[in-house]
Amino acid sequence: MKNVRIGMIGFGNVGQGFVQVIAQKRELLRGEYGINPLITAISDKVKGSLRNDDGLDLGLLQKVPVSFADFETNEIVGWDAPEMIAESRSDVILELSIANYETGEPALSYMTQALNAGKSVITSNKGPIALSYRSLNGLAQKNGVGLGIEGTVMSGTPAIRVGKELLYSAGITAVRGIFNGTCNYILSEMKSGRSFEEALSLAQKLGFAEADPTLDISGMDTAMKIAILSEVLFGERIVPTEIPVTGISDLTTEDIREAADQKCVRKLIGTIQTTNDRPELSVKPVLLPFNDPLAQINGAMNAIQFETDFLGQVTLIGPGAGRLETADGLIQDLISLFREK
Ligand SMILES: NC(=O)c1ccc[n+]([C@@H]2O[C@H](COP(=O)([O-])OP(=O)(O)OC[C@H]3O[C@@H](n4cnc5c(N)ncnc54)[C@H](OP(=O)(O)O)[C@@H]3O)[C@@H](O)[C@H]2O)c1
């Protein structure tokens, strides 16, 4: 069995979810895959940093503190993220800080530093991957390490792995999907007669939408995800800010009612269409007939539909967010990069 030493940047929802999933799945990882996961360091902007080369106590970590200083432990160190990458004994860095879709920073620099130091990187952070997947992947290959990005699109629903590994030989010609649970939840509620504002406020109350939901409802979150898919599935780098994007904030209950009169629903759809072998990307609210598989995806659920040469349409439905759901995407990457059997 192989010790896999993990350094974490960011200890928010996903970071805490990861600890919970590792605690639950440790025996499975050891027995089925020969992986003994050890969290050897964490650096978080607010909570501080911890280090133990033999592995931090997962039970203690699950008593999520406001600050690591609340733990009575001699494992506290004063490391920011770059110091943690440089100083910790770690084989893989989990980058779980916040997404910046304009520059990818500071996460992009952290990932670059880790890969250059010969450490693998696993992340659910869309920003740096949407902007710089190719160069980061090149760096990983040059240094003989791995880059895991499953959690960046549809959390733990394996959209990337299914497209890149399982359907690639079937010849993917187009992709379309519902990639933002907040928007889909709002549109589903509007179908039941709520106004946009009422639906958004309910989504915030139930924890689906952020306090600042701009990235979601503007369509930019979906743009980042299809930019990642474009690069990974079609080898074409398209910067998210160059994608034509229309969000959902201008939709009225009248628009939704008119759609229903035509036996249709409105869904925020991210599309990648290949024309002359070149992918064209767009994000917009689309009118879908009731019998379209994507029309039937309600609430915060996500879905991706691959158009292929040999299999026709293949649709994958699953959650697109959530702390445990996203943590599971990280675990899938951990297994893929480090399995011994
Ligand atoms: N939550 C989901 O369902 C989900 C799904 C898919 C992908 N993701 C992505 O996964 C990543 C983590 O999401 P999350 O929900 O865990 O976010 P979160 O709850 O906001 O946690 C992020 C944590 O990282 C810390 N942080 C920010 N900048 C940092 C830095 N430079 N160095 C060290 N720590 C830093 C934050 O501290 P502050 O609070 O002080 O900023 C916070 O504690 C994000 O990129 C997100 O877009 C999340």
Side-chain angles (χ1 to χ4, degrees):
M1 192 165 52
K2 177 179 176 178
N3 285 339
V4 177
R5 296 185 170 81
I6 303 166
M8 297 174 64
I9 300 172
F11 198 63
N13 283 311
V14 177
Q16 290 160 30
F18 179 77
V19 169
Q20 201 178 327
V21 175
I22 284 283
Q24 279 176 24
K25 300 285 178 187
R26 194 164 37 183
E27 291 316 315
L28 176 98
L29 288 168
R30 287 176 177 163
E32 282 296 315
Y33 302 105
I35 294 172
N36 183 33
L38 300 170
I39 299 178
T40 50
I42 303 177
S43 173
D44 183 85
K45 211 167 157 192
V46 174
K47 297 181 183 71
S49 53
L50 293 173
R51 167 216 193 142
N52 184 333
D53 291 351
D54 297 322
L56 292 159
D57 177 347
L58 299 183
L60 187 67
L61 290 178
Q62 285 179 86
K63 295 180 187 146
V64 180
V66 176
S67 158
F68 292 139
D70 297 345
F71 293 154
E72 284 176 16
T73 169
N74 57 6
E75 294 162 329
I76 293 169
V77 279
W79 287 342
D80 61 13
E83 286 169 323
M84 190 278 280
I85 296 166
E87 304 293 331
S88 66
R89 226 181 135 204
S90 48
D91 306 299
V92 53
I93 298 295
L94 258 54
E95 212 300 326
L96 309 174
S97 71
I98 45 171
N100 174 338
Y101 72 90
E102 283 165 338
T103 65
E105 294 294 357
L108 179 55
S109 297
Y110 301 157
M111 292 181 191
T112 305
Q113 181 192 347
L115 295 169
N116 275 328
K119 295 171 195 255
S120 293
V121 168
I122 295 176
T123 189
S124 56
N125 188 338
K126 296 167 279 274
I129 301 304
L131 292 166
S132 302
Y133 173 73
R134 189 176 304 188
S135 58
L136 288 169
N137 201 38
L139 211 50
Q141 284 174 5
K142 186 177 138 208
N143 290 293
V145 291
L147 175 64
I149 62 166
E150 188 61 67
T152 59
V153 178
M154 288 176 71
S155 66
T157 307
I160 291 178
R161 189 154 282 113
V162 165
K164 193 172 171 224
E165 294 177 15
L166 304 181
L167 290 180
Y168 206 72
S169 60
I172 300 172
T173 54
V175 170
R176 62 180 195 135
I178 294 171
F179 297 111
N180 188 276
T182 300
C183 290
N184 205 50
Y185 179 81
I186 291 172
L187 294 176
S188 303
E189 287 299 310
M190 286 175 78
K191 209 170 74 184
S192 321
R194 290 189 207 280
S195 69
F196 174 82
E197 290 74 21
E198 286 169 343
L200 172 58
S201 146
L202 195 59
Q204 285 169 323
K205 210 180 285 172
L206 294 172
F208 295 138
E210 301 284 334
D212 178 1
T214 315
L215 264 187
D216 292 330
I217 62 174
S218 68
M220 268 322 289
D221 177 76
T222 299
M224 284 195 271
K225 291 168 180 166
I226 61 170
I228 293 171
L229 291 169
S230 168
E231 175 98 60
V232 171
L233 301 180
F234 299 98
E236 189 81 21
R237 179 175 180 266
I238 298 181
V239 177
T241 47
E242 288 174 4
I243 299 171
V245 174
T246 307
I248 63 164
S249 53
D250 289 337
L251 288 179
T252 62
T253 30
E254 190 54 30
D255 295 324
I256 305 296
R257 207 173 306 122
E258 274 176 17
D261 290 344
Q262 298 172 53
K263 296 201 175 350
C264 290
V265 289
R266 287 216 177 249
K267 295 285 182 192
L268 185 73
I269 302 291
T271 306
I272 309 176
Q273 194 71 47
T274 46
T275 316
N276 299 327
D277 280 343
R278 220 186 157 257
E280 284 178 11
L281 281 61
S282 70
V283 178
K284 60 184 176 204
V286 173
L287 208 54
L288 299 177
F290 282 160
N291 63 359
D292 187 307
L294 296 189
Q296 290 153 38
I297 309 301
N298 288 312
M301 206 48 105
N302 281 200
I304 183 167
Q305 190 170 68
F306 300 91
E307 193 75 50
T308 69
D309 285 332
F310 294 125
L311 296 172
Q313 285 180 348
V314 178
T315 307
L316 180 67
I317 302 168
R323 49 191 274 153
L324 298 180
E325 292 84 345
T326 310
D328 191 68
L330 307 173
I331 303 280
Q332 291 169 32
D333 283 336
L334 194 74
I335 292 170
S336 167
L337 293 180
F338 292 99
R339 64 186 300 168
E340 294 235 300
K341 50 183 179 173

